[in-house]
Amino acid sequence: MKLQRVNAFLKTVPRYHPNGDDTQVTVKCPFCGDSTKSDHGHFSIKVDVNAGEPMWYKCFRADCEVKGVLTTRVLDMLGCKDPDTLIELDNYNKTINVNTDRDFVEKRGRSYQIVNVIRSDNQSKLEYLNQRLGIKFTPDVLRHFKIQLSLYSFLDINYIHSLPFSQHRCDLLDEYAICFLSMYEDYMICRDITKKLLTGYRYTIYRTAGKPRPNDMKLYAIPTELDLLDPNPAEINVAEGTFSVIGAYLHCDGIGHSARNNIWLANCGSEYEKTILHVVKQYGLVDVIIHIWSDSEIGIEKYEKLYNRIHKRMNILGMYIHYNTKKEDFGYAAEDIKIRTVQIDG
Protein backbone atom coordinates (compact mmCIF):
# COMPACT_ATOMS: atom_id res chain seq x y z
CA MET A 1 0.00 0.00 0.00
CA LYS A 2 1.04 3.60 -0.60
CA LEU A 3 0.12 6.86 1.08
CA GLN A 4 -1.20 8.92 -1.84
CA ARG A 5 -0.49 12.42 -0.54
CA VAL A 6 2.92 11.51 0.84
CA ASN A 7 3.97 9.86 -2.41
CA ALA A 8 2.69 12.78 -4.46
CA PHE A 9 4.77 15.16 -2.32
CA LEU A 10 7.93 13.04 -2.59
CA LYS A 11 7.76 13.38 -6.38
CA THR A 12 8.38 17.12 -5.92
CA VAL A 13 11.49 16.70 -3.75
CA PRO A 14 14.83 17.46 -5.48
CA ARG A 15 16.59 14.46 -7.04
CA TYR A 16 13.46 12.29 -6.84
CA HIS A 17 13.88 8.91 -8.50
CA PRO A 18 11.84 5.71 -8.05
CA ASN A 19 13.47 2.30 -8.10
CA GLY A 20 12.57 -0.31 -10.70
CA ASP A 21 9.51 -1.74 -8.96
CA ASP A 22 8.31 1.53 -7.36
CA THR A 23 8.65 0.15 -3.82
CA GLN A 24 11.34 2.69 -2.89
CA VAL A 25 12.29 6.19 -3.97
CA THR A 26 15.45 8.21 -3.52
CA VAL A 27 15.62 11.97 -2.98
CA LYS A 28 18.11 14.56 -1.76
CA CYS A 29 19.05 13.84 1.87
CA PRO A 30 17.69 16.52 4.25
CA PHE A 31 20.22 15.60 6.94
CA CYS A 32 23.58 15.83 5.14
CA GLY A 33 22.58 17.84 2.06
CA ASP A 34 23.72 14.93 -0.13
CA SER A 35 26.62 14.66 -2.54
CA THR A 36 27.77 17.66 -4.56
CA LYS A 37 29.49 15.35 -7.05
CA SER A 38 26.32 13.61 -8.20
CA ASP A 39 22.98 14.71 -9.62
CA HIS A 40 20.97 12.02 -7.86
CA GLY A 41 20.00 11.59 -4.22
CA HIS A 42 21.12 9.01 -1.69
CA PHE A 43 18.17 9.28 0.72
CA SER A 44 16.10 6.14 0.17
CA ILE A 45 12.50 5.83 1.43
CA LYS A 46 10.37 2.72 1.36
CA VAL A 47 7.03 3.91 -0.02
CA ASP A 48 5.20 0.64 -0.73
CA VAL A 49 4.58 -0.89 2.69
CA ASN A 50 2.38 -3.55 4.19
CA ALA A 51 -0.34 -2.47 6.61
CA GLY A 52 1.26 -1.64 9.96
CA GLU A 53 4.79 -1.54 8.49
CA PRO A 54 6.86 1.65 9.03
CA MET A 55 8.10 3.68 6.09
CA TRP A 56 11.84 3.23 6.56
CA TYR A 57 14.39 5.73 5.32
CA LYS A 58 18.18 5.57 5.02
CA CYS A 59 20.86 7.79 3.51
CA PHE A 60 23.42 5.72 1.60
CA ARG A 61 26.21 8.29 1.71
CA ALA A 62 29.12 6.77 3.63
CA ASP A 63 29.59 9.84 5.82
CA CYS A 64 25.89 10.15 6.73
CA GLU A 65 24.00 6.81 6.85
CA VAL A 66 21.16 8.27 8.93
CA LYS A 67 18.22 5.89 9.08
CA GLY A 68 14.88 5.45 10.81
CA VAL A 69 11.12 5.73 10.32
CA LEU A 70 9.62 8.49 8.16
CA THR A 71 7.83 10.88 10.51
CA THR A 72 6.15 14.26 10.05
CA ARG A 73 9.33 15.92 11.33
CA VAL A 74 11.42 14.28 8.59
CA LEU A 75 8.75 15.05 6.00
CA ASP A 76 8.87 18.68 7.11
CA MET A 77 12.66 18.64 6.73
CA LEU A 78 12.11 17.46 3.15
CA GLY A 79 10.01 20.58 2.57
CA CYS A 80 6.44 19.39 3.10
CA LYS A 81 4.20 22.15 4.48
CA ASP A 82 0.82 20.80 3.36
CA PRO A 83 -1.19 19.98 6.50
CA ASP A 84 -3.27 17.27 4.81
CA THR A 85 -0.11 15.41 3.75
CA LEU A 86 1.40 15.69 7.23
CA ILE A 87 -1.87 14.50 8.79
CA GLU A 88 -1.99 11.52 6.42
CA LEU A 89 1.46 10.39 7.54
CA ASP A 90 0.79 11.11 11.21
CA ASN A 91 -2.43 9.08 11.14
CA TYR A 92 -0.69 6.18 9.42
CA ASN A 93 2.20 6.18 11.90
CA LYS A 94 -0.31 5.76 14.73
CA THR A 95 -1.15 2.35 13.25
CA ILE A 96 2.33 0.97 12.71
CA ASN A 97 3.78 -1.90 14.67
CA VAL A 98 6.80 -0.48 16.48
CA ASN A 99 8.30 -3.96 16.75
CA THR A 100 8.32 -4.53 12.99
CA ASP A 101 11.93 -5.02 11.86
CA ARG A 102 12.98 -3.23 15.01
CA ASP A 103 16.61 -4.22 14.63
CA PHE A 104 16.83 -2.08 11.51
CA VAL A 105 16.07 1.09 13.47
CA GLU A 106 18.50 0.25 16.23
CA LYS A 107 21.39 -0.21 13.81
CA ARG A 108 21.98 3.54 13.62
CA GLY A 109 24.04 3.58 16.80
CA ARG A 110 26.31 6.47 17.74
CA SER A 111 28.76 8.41 15.65
CA TYR A 112 32.25 8.22 17.11
CA GLN A 113 35.49 10.01 16.32
CA ILE A 114 38.61 8.12 15.29
CA VAL A 115 41.75 9.91 16.47
CA ASN A 116 45.27 8.55 16.07
CA VAL A 117 48.18 10.62 17.32
CA ILE A 118 51.31 8.72 16.33
CA ARG A 119 53.31 8.42 19.56
CA SER A 120 56.04 6.14 20.81
CA ASP A 121 53.53 3.95 22.66
CA ASN A 122 51.60 3.05 19.50
CA GLN A 123 54.43 3.27 16.94
CA SER A 124 54.89 -0.51 17.04
CA LYS A 125 51.23 -0.99 16.11
CA LEU A 126 51.57 1.37 13.17
CA GLU A 127 54.69 -0.44 11.98
CA TYR A 128 52.83 -3.75 12.25
CA LEU A 129 50.01 -2.43 10.04
CA ASN A 130 52.39 -0.94 7.50
CA GLN A 131 54.43 -4.13 7.22
CA ARG A 132 51.47 -6.51 7.31
CA LEU A 133 49.42 -4.77 4.61
CA GLY A 134 52.20 -3.15 2.65
CA ILE A 135 51.04 0.47 2.63
CA LYS A 136 51.78 3.53 4.74
CA PHE A 137 48.95 4.18 7.17
CA THR A 138 48.70 7.91 7.88
CA PRO A 139 46.21 9.26 10.46
CA ASP A 140 43.80 10.05 7.61
CA VAL A 141 44.08 6.54 6.18
CA LEU A 142 43.55 5.05 9.63
CA ARG A 143 40.44 7.19 10.02
CA HIS A 144 39.09 6.09 6.63
CA PHE A 145 39.42 2.43 7.59
CA LYS A 146 38.02 3.13 11.09
CA ILE A 147 41.20 1.84 12.73
CA GLN A 148 42.07 3.01 16.23
CA LEU A 149 45.57 2.31 17.54
CA SER A 150 44.87 3.25 21.17
CA LEU A 151 41.71 2.08 22.89
CA TYR A 152 42.03 4.66 25.66
CA SER A 153 42.51 7.51 23.18
CA PHE A 154 39.23 6.47 21.55
CA LEU A 155 37.43 6.37 24.89
CA ASP A 156 38.82 9.75 25.92
CA ILE A 157 37.99 11.64 22.74
CA ASN A 158 34.44 10.23 22.71
CA TYR A 159 33.82 10.83 26.44
CA ILE A 160 33.23 7.14 27.17
CA HIS A 161 33.88 6.57 30.87
CA SER A 162 32.56 3.07 31.59
CA LEU A 163 34.52 -0.09 30.81
CA PRO A 164 32.88 -3.42 29.85
CA PHE A 165 35.88 -5.37 31.18
CA SER A 166 38.24 -5.13 34.13
CA GLN A 167 40.77 -2.29 34.20
CA HIS A 168 43.61 -4.78 33.78
CA ARG A 169 42.07 -6.37 30.70
CA CYS A 170 41.43 -2.94 29.14
CA ASP A 171 45.03 -1.97 29.88
CA LEU A 172 46.18 -5.01 27.91
CA LEU A 173 43.90 -4.16 24.99
CA ASP A 174 45.19 -0.60 24.93
CA GLU A 175 48.80 -1.79 24.90
CA TYR A 176 48.71 -4.83 22.62
CA ALA A 177 45.63 -4.61 20.36
CA ILE A 178 44.66 -2.68 17.24
CA CYS A 179 40.97 -1.74 17.26
CA PHE A 180 38.55 -1.63 14.32
CA LEU A 181 35.26 0.24 14.75
CA SER A 182 32.33 -1.96 13.74
CA MET A 183 29.81 -1.30 10.97
CA TYR A 184 27.29 0.28 13.35
CA GLU A 185 29.93 1.72 15.69
CA ASP A 186 28.52 -0.13 18.68
CA TYR A 187 31.56 -2.41 19.00
CA MET A 188 35.32 -2.29 18.64
CA ILE A 189 36.92 -5.41 17.17
CA CYS A 190 40.23 -5.52 19.03
CA ARG A 191 42.95 -7.63 17.40
CA ASP A 192 45.91 -8.74 19.52
CA ILE A 193 49.06 -8.36 17.39
CA THR A 194 51.50 -10.10 19.75
CA LYS A 195 52.82 -13.59 18.99
CA LYS A 196 52.02 -14.80 22.51
CA LEU A 197 48.54 -13.23 22.56
CA LEU A 198 49.30 -11.17 25.65
CA THR A 199 45.68 -9.99 25.93
CA GLY A 200 44.62 -13.63 26.25
CA TYR A 201 42.68 -13.71 22.99
CA ARG A 202 43.35 -13.10 19.31
CA TYR A 203 40.11 -11.11 19.04
CA THR A 204 38.19 -9.26 21.73
CA ILE A 205 34.81 -7.73 20.95
CA TYR A 206 34.55 -4.52 22.96
CA ARG A 207 31.12 -2.93 23.44
CA THR A 208 31.47 0.86 23.02
CA ALA A 209 28.25 1.84 24.79
CA GLY A 210 25.09 0.28 26.17
CA LYS A 211 24.37 -3.38 26.84
CA PRO A 212 24.98 -6.16 24.31
CA ARG A 213 21.88 -7.54 22.60
CA PRO A 214 21.46 -11.10 21.28
CA ASN A 215 20.92 -9.94 17.68
CA ASP A 216 23.80 -7.45 17.53
CA MET A 217 25.82 -7.62 14.31
CA LYS A 218 29.51 -7.24 15.13
CA LEU A 219 30.59 -6.76 11.54
CA TYR A 220 33.44 -4.60 10.35
CA ALA A 221 32.78 -2.60 7.17
CA ILE A 222 35.11 -0.48 5.08
CA PRO A 223 33.27 2.79 4.39
CA THR A 224 32.09 2.84 0.77
CA GLU A 225 29.28 4.65 -1.02
CA LEU A 226 26.53 2.41 -2.35
CA ASP A 227 24.52 3.82 -5.25
CA LEU A 228 21.08 2.22 -5.40
CA LEU A 229 20.37 3.88 -8.76
CA ASP A 230 23.43 2.41 -10.42
CA PRO A 231 22.24 -0.03 -13.12
CA ASN A 232 25.02 -2.39 -12.12
CA PRO A 233 24.25 -4.86 -9.32
CA ALA A 234 25.70 -4.32 -5.87
CA GLU A 235 28.75 -6.45 -5.15
CA ILE A 236 29.02 -7.88 -1.64
CA ASN A 237 32.58 -8.69 -0.53
CA VAL A 238 33.03 -10.71 2.66
CA ALA A 239 36.10 -12.07 4.45
CA GLU A 240 36.54 -13.69 7.84
CA GLY A 241 38.73 -11.06 9.49
CA THR A 242 39.55 -7.36 9.36
CA PHE A 243 43.06 -7.68 7.93
CA SER A 244 41.87 -10.05 5.23
CA VAL A 245 39.09 -7.77 3.98
CA ILE A 246 41.35 -4.70 4.02
CA GLY A 247 44.08 -6.56 2.12
CA ALA A 248 41.60 -7.74 -0.51
CA TYR A 249 40.15 -4.22 -0.80
CA LEU A 250 43.56 -2.61 -1.22
CA HIS A 251 45.40 -5.04 -3.45
CA CYS A 252 42.88 -6.83 -5.68
CA ASP A 253 42.50 -4.13 -8.32
CA GLY A 254 39.39 -4.30 -10.50
CA ILE A 255 37.67 -6.42 -7.89
CA GLY A 256 38.86 -4.21 -5.04
CA HIS A 257 38.53 -0.54 -4.22
CA SER A 258 38.52 0.66 -7.84
CA ALA A 259 35.34 -1.31 -8.60
CA ARG A 260 31.96 0.44 -8.35
CA ASN A 261 29.05 -0.20 -6.01
CA ASN A 262 30.89 -2.49 -3.61
CA ILE A 263 30.25 -3.36 0.03
CA TRP A 264 33.24 -4.68 2.00
CA LEU A 265 32.67 -6.63 5.21
CA ALA A 266 34.47 -8.82 7.72
CA ASN A 267 32.45 -11.48 9.54
CA CYS A 268 34.34 -11.09 12.84
CA GLY A 269 32.90 -14.31 14.16
CA SER A 270 29.59 -14.27 12.31
CA GLU A 271 28.62 -16.76 9.61
CA TYR A 272 28.78 -15.87 5.92
CA GLU A 273 25.08 -16.64 5.52
CA LYS A 274 24.05 -14.34 8.35
CA THR A 275 26.32 -11.54 7.12
CA ILE A 276 25.08 -11.68 3.51
CA LEU A 277 21.39 -11.92 4.42
CA HIS A 278 21.76 -9.05 6.87
CA VAL A 279 23.34 -6.66 4.38
CA VAL A 280 20.83 -7.59 1.63
CA LYS A 281 17.99 -6.76 4.00
CA GLN A 282 19.68 -3.68 5.43
CA TYR A 283 20.24 -2.07 2.03
CA GLY A 284 17.16 -3.46 0.28
CA LEU A 285 19.26 -5.21 -2.38
CA VAL A 286 17.73 -7.43 -5.07
CA ASP A 287 20.42 -8.13 -7.68
CA VAL A 288 23.80 -8.97 -6.16
CA ILE A 289 27.19 -10.37 -7.00
CA ILE A 290 28.91 -12.07 -4.07
CA HIS A 291 32.68 -12.25 -3.56
CA ILE A 292 34.02 -14.30 -0.66
CA TRP A 293 37.70 -13.77 0.18
CA SER A 294 38.24 -17.12 1.77
CA ASP A 295 40.72 -18.54 4.21
CA SER A 296 42.75 -21.22 2.46
CA GLU A 297 41.62 -24.12 4.64
CA ILE A 298 37.92 -23.72 3.79
CA GLY A 299 36.91 -25.99 0.93
CA ILE A 300 34.66 -25.00 -1.94
CA GLU A 301 32.00 -27.47 -0.75
CA LYS A 302 31.09 -25.16 2.12
CA TYR A 303 30.38 -22.32 -0.28
CA GLU A 304 28.34 -24.51 -2.61
CA LYS A 305 26.11 -25.35 0.36
CA LEU A 306 25.95 -21.65 1.25
CA TYR A 307 24.78 -20.79 -2.27
CA ASN A 308 22.04 -23.44 -2.08
CA ARG A 309 20.76 -21.94 1.17
CA ILE A 310 20.62 -18.30 0.08
CA HIS A 311 20.03 -18.14 -3.68
CA LYS A 312 16.22 -18.21 -3.38
CA ARG A 313 16.30 -15.14 -1.11
CA MET A 314 18.01 -12.83 -3.59
CA ASN A 315 18.94 -12.72 -7.26
CA ILE A 316 22.58 -13.84 -7.29
CA LEU A 317 24.10 -12.84 -10.61
CA GLY A 318 27.43 -14.38 -9.69
CA MET A 319 29.14 -15.92 -6.69
CA TYR A 320 32.94 -16.06 -6.66
CA ILE A 321 35.23 -17.61 -4.07
CA HIS A 322 38.73 -16.12 -4.02
CA TYR A 323 41.75 -17.86 -2.47
CA ASN A 324 45.22 -16.46 -1.89
CA THR A 325 47.62 -19.15 -3.09
CA LYS A 326 50.60 -17.50 -1.37
CA LYS A 327 49.19 -17.14 2.15
CA GLU A 328 46.37 -18.41 4.34
CA ASP A 329 44.19 -15.34 3.65
CA PHE A 330 44.32 -11.88 2.03
CA GLY A 331 45.58 -9.90 5.02
CA TYR A 332 48.98 -9.18 3.50
CA ALA A 333 50.93 -6.87 1.18
CA ALA A 334 50.33 -7.00 -2.57
CA GLU A 335 53.45 -9.08 -3.28
CA ASP A 336 52.13 -11.79 -0.95
CA ILE A 337 48.82 -12.14 -2.78
CA LYS A 338 48.04 -14.30 -5.80
CA ILE A 339 44.36 -14.85 -6.50
CA ARG A 340 42.77 -18.13 -7.48
CA THR A 341 39.04 -17.73 -8.16
CA VAL A 342 36.35 -20.41 -8.24
CA GLN A 343 32.88 -19.56 -9.52
CA ILE A 344 29.88 -21.20 -7.89
CA ASP A 345 27.46 -22.30 -10.60
CA GLY A 346 23.79 -22.16 -9.70
Side-chain angles (χ1 to χ4, degrees), residues 74-90:
V74 178
L75 206 60
D76 179 74
M77 291 175 65
L78 287 165
C80 180
K81 305 301 178 186
D82 176 53
D84 290 335
T85 302
L86 295 170
I87 289 172
E88 180 187 49
L89 179 60
D90 184 58

Side-chain angles (χ1 to χ4, degrees), residues 316-332:
I316 301 177
L317 301 182
M319 183 166 170
Y320 304 92
I321 314 304
H322 307 288
Y323 293 97
N324 181 7
T325 61
K326 289 188 174 183
K327 295 284 186 178
E328 70 275 10
D329 58 34
F330 288 87
Y332 293 92

Side-chain angles (χ1 to χ4, degrees), residues 42-277:
H42 291 81
F43 191 75
S44 177
I45 305 170
K46 186 173 183 180
V47 294
D48 192 353
V49 293
N50 298 318
E53 180 186 7
M55 296 178 68
W56 303 112
Y57 67 79
K58 175 178 172 64
C59 179
F60 284 89
R61 286 194 70 210
D63 57 354
C64 181
E65 294 189 334
V66 64
K67 68 186 77 166
V69 176
L70 188 69
T71 62
T72 55
R73 182 184 72 86
V74 178
L75 206 60
D76 179 74
M77 291 175 65
L78 287 165
C80 180
K81 305 301 178 186
D82 176 53
D84 290 335
T85 302
L86 295 170
I87 289 172
E88 180 187 49
L89 179 60
D90 184 58
N91 286 339
Y92 177 74
N93 281 347
K94 292 176 182 177
T95 71
I96 66 174
N97 180 358
V98 296
N99 293 316
T100 301
D101 211 4
R102 187 175 179 179
D103 286 341
F104 184 90
V105 182
E106 294 180 347
K107 296 302 182 186
R108 173 57 184 160
R110 293 182 61 181
S111 179
Y112 290 116
Q113 298 295 316
I114 294 287
V115 176
N116 287 287
V117 179
I118 308 304
R119 305 184 304 247
S120 58
D121 58 348
N122 57 32
Q123 184 65 38
S124 62
K125 297 180 185 180
L126 184 63
E127 291 173 356
Y128 179 90
L129 278 172
N130 292 342
Q131 183 176 4
R132 174 78 186 258
L133 292 168
I135 71 166
K136 183 178 180 180
F137 280 87
T138 65
D140 285 342
V141 175
L142 291 168
R143 185 181 303 110
H144 171 74
F145 284 102
K146 301 196 297 185
I147 299 173
Q148 180 70 53
L149 298 179
S150 168
L151 174 63
Y152 284 153
S153 292
F154 174 82
L155 300 181
D156 289 342
I157 197 67
N158 291 290
Y159 303 102
I160 300 174
H161 304 296
S162 61
L163 301 177
F165 307 123
S166 68
Q167 182 72 59
H168 175 66
R169 187 174 180 188
C170 292
D171 289 345
L172 294 175
L173 290 173
D174 182 66
E175 186 170 358
Y176 299 119
I178 295 173
C179 301
F180 301 81
L181 192 58
S182 71
M183 183 176 183
Y184 300 111
E185 303 193 1
D186 46 358
Y187 288 90
M188 294 286 272
I189 298 98
C190 303
R191 169 66 154 80
D192 189 323
I193 62 170
T194 64
K195 292 183 179 180
K196 295 183 178 181
L197 297 181
L198 296 176
T199 66
Y201 305 90
R202 182 172 297 277
Y203 284 98
T204 298
I205 306 299
Y206 185 104
R207 177 75 177 182
T208 56
K211 295 181 178 180
R213 297 178 297 254
N215 295 324
D216 281 347
M217 296 297 294
K218 306 173 185 68
L219 306 175
Y220 167 74
I222 299 172
T224 56
E225 194 166 291
L226 182 64
D227 184 358
L228 292 179
L229 300 182
D230 193 313
N232 297 303
E235 301 201 25
I236 302 172
N237 296 265
V238 192
E240 285 286 355
T242 51
F243 285 118
S244 192
V245 76
I246 292 174
Y249 174 86
L250 288 171
H251 304 310
C252 300
D253 195 37
I255 306 173
H257 68 273
S258 61
R260 298 176 58 188
N261 229 29
N262 273 244
I263 304 167
W264 291 83
L265 304 159
N267 281 328
C268 300
S270 182
E271 293 289 333
Y272 281 108
E273 180 176 358
K274 186 176 180 180
T275 298
I276 293 168
L277 292 178

